[in-house]
Amino acid sequence: LHQLRGRVGRSPRQAHCICATCHCHIDVRWFSQLPTPDATEQDMLAYTNEVQPTSRLSCQVPLTEALDGMIVHVAASQH
């Protein structure tokens, strides 16, 4: 994620939400600062392995200055 330093916005796939290859786990200390996943993202997460309460699709997480330093763990099934 260090490559994202200085970039604010969303991933290039932001509106698509057509796969779940970017499944990740947001550190619990940061999770509450994110907007709630919409129904489409929740549906896509249902098709992933290792879903946890802090699971998100990284392409759907808006990058803001407030999230600078956020800890994100790539799901083992995504390695």
Side-chain angles (χ1 to χ4, degrees):
L1 293 177
H2 66 281
Q3 295 174 349
L4 296 177
R5 188 171 308 282
R7 292 181 64 190
V8 177
R10 286 187 180 262
S11 160
R13 293 181 170 262
Q14 66 179 337
H16 302 287
C17 200
I18 58 173
C19 67
T21 59
C22 63
H23 176 217
C24 64
H25 303 130
I26 306 296
D27 187 88
V28 69
R29 294 169 288 187
W30 291 91
F31 189 78
S32 63
Q33 296 181 48
L34 300 177
T36 305
D38 66 16
T40 302
E41 182 179 358
Q42 291 175 11
D43 288 346
M44 291 306 300
L45 284 168
Y47 292 101
T48 65
N49 295 320
E50 305 173 60
V51 175
Q52 297 180 3
T54 60
S55 286
R56 290 298 302 265
L57 299 180
S58 64
C59 71
Q60 299 300 300
V61 176
L63 301 178
T64 65
E65 294 293 332
L67 298 176
D68 185 32
M70 178 174 63
I71 300 169
V72 178
H73 305 277
V74 177
S77 61
Q78 303 306 101
H79 289 226

